[in-house]
Amino acid sequence: MEGLYCERIAAGVEPLNAISNLGFFVTAFLTWRLVRETKEGRLAGALLAVLIVGIGLGSTAFHVVGTPLARYFDIVPIVLFQLVFVWLYSRRVRHAGRATVAASLCAFVVASWLGDNSAAVPSGSLSYAPALGLGLGFGWYRRGLGPAGAMDLRVAAAVFLLGLIFRSLDPIVCPAFPHGTHFVWHLLVPCALYFGVRGLSRDTLQGRRA
């Protein structure tokens, strides 16, 4: 797994990329506090918080040891969080049928896999394009129905896009800045996740009142 990201001071060790994962644990705590106070959707919110912890742990492991096994621990929680979030939003807010959501999730996985294997954008960042697109789509869908939640989702998408830019710049700036910019991605993504979960929470409550 050598050479996947710019920063590396020894075999598999990426200090800033590892330390910057602290943001995921802070976000997981804030997410738990958010859903704990709402009563409705507490179990689903707790699951998302646990997955955010998993993202932080998996990413830290990968940026510390850099082995193929650690890479799986890095990827799996990310994929699970995306799938759970899309399922919850589609079912609880859009009230889509299970078959429709299942088909959408299959298409989402395929699109993400194709993006991950594309060289069009550096660092495999194209694999996150489906997640960005869905975030924007969900925010647009709720724009007139749940303005608070829709704004949260638009903020989440904007922050996520900014994070993707820094993620993609990592190999480009490497010659001038040996630490790269991947750690900025780690700082921005937790913010995007929090706004996304808050948008889901708000839209779920408003959907139930409608």
Side-chain angles (χ1 to χ4, degrees):
M1 303 301 292
E2 291 288 340
L4 187 57
Y5 298 111
C6 178
E7 184 187 36
R8 185 147 306 178
I9 64 171
V13 180
E14 302 169 14
L16 281 181
N17 289 345
I19 295 172
S20 55
N21 284 302
L22 288 173
F24 289 105
F25 302 108
V26 174
T27 296
F29 173 71
L30 295 176
T31 296
W32 167 242
R33 286 190 60 184
L34 173 69
V35 300
R36 184 185 61 183
E37 297 170 357
T38 61
K39 291 186 179 180
E40 295 193 48
R42 184 177 299 174
L43 181 60
L47 174 59
L48 291 175
V50 169
L51 289 173
I52 293 174
V53 170
I55 292 173
L57 291 174
S59 182
T60 301
F62 177 64
H63 290 295
V64 169
V65 299
T67 63
L69 179 59
R71 178 64 171 162
Y72 283 109
F73 283 112
D74 180 33
I75 294 174
V76 171
I78 296 173
V79 173
L80 288 178
F81 179 91
Q82 293 179 87
L83 295 180
V84 170
F85 186 91
V86 172
W87 176 271
L88 290 173
Y89 202 94
S90 299
R91 291 284 293 158
R92 296 192 174 190
V93 179
R94 297 184 61 246
H95 305 294
R98 292 181 179 178
T100 300
V101 179
S104 299
L105 290 179
C106 289
F108 177 83
V109 170
V110 171
S112 298
W113 180 82
L114 291 174
D116 189 49
N117 288 273
S118 172
V121 180
S123 300
S125 296
L126 197 60
S127 63
Y128 291 98
L132 176 63
L134 281 177
L136 290 171
F138 288 154
W140 178 84
Y141 169 75
R142 293 291 294 182
R143 68 194 186 286
L145 303 174
M151 178 57 70
D152 280 336
L153 290 174
R154 288 197 289 269
V155 170
V159 174
F160 193 73
L161 175 60
L162 182 61
L164 278 177
I165 292 173
F166 278 100
R167 189 181 196 277
S168 302
L169 287 174
D170 184 68
I172 298 174
V173 305
C174 195
F177 186 59
H179 290 291
T181 56
H182 190 77
F183 72 94
V184 183
W185 158 257
H186 287 171
L187 297 175
L188 292 175
V189 169
C191 298
L193 296 182
Y194 176 77
F195 279 106
V197 174
R198 193 170 76 169
L200 169 64
S201 178
R202 285 176 167 179
D203 279 352
T204 298
L205 291 175
Q206 289 169 347
R208 290 179 181 275
R209 294 188 188 116

